[in-house]
Amino acid sequence: EFRGKGMASILIKEAINFCKENLNSKIIKISAQYYLLNYYRKFGFVEFGPVYEEDSLPHVKMCLELY
């Protein structure tokens, strides 16, 4: 019932802000399912490295540099 209501975007933005404000993170690295590549790009994540399989699904490593 919560799908399509933007809650995932809110959670990602909050997680990014938490890392900035509370952890002094300079970079966030994630393992993203390949089909969500463009979704994470909206938040500034960029992919690096080759596509690889994890849990029988294609994934790619992504990072977000925090300033």
Side-chain angles (χ1 to χ4, degrees), residues 24-62:
N24 278 337
S25 298
K26 303 293 182 219
I27 191 165
I28 299 172
K29 294 180 182 178
I30 64 172
S31 175
Q33 291 182 6
Y34 188 76
Y35 83 96
L36 290 170
L37 195 63
N38 288 326
Y39 178 73
Y40 287 112
R41 284 178 179 156
K42 291 189 316 185
F43 300 99
F45 284 90
V46 294
E47 66 272 15
F48 65 95
V51 176
Y52 59 94
E53 194 149 317
E54 184 177 310
D55 297 326
S56 301
L57 296 169
H59 281 69
V60 65
K61 292 182 189 280
M62 299 187 85

Side-chain angles (χ1 to χ4, degrees), residues 7-30 40 43 45 64 66:
M7 296 186 82
S9 293
I10 292 168
L11 287 172
I12 290 171
K13 289 175 188 174
E14 288 295 321
I16 291 169
N17 286 332
F18 180 86
C19 290
K20 281 182 188 178
E21 296 173 7
N22 298 292
L23 303 178
N24 278 337
S25 298
K26 303 293 182 219
I27 191 165
I28 299 172
K29 294 180 182 178
I30 64 172
Y40 287 112
F43 300 99
F45 284 90
L64 173 65
L66 304 173

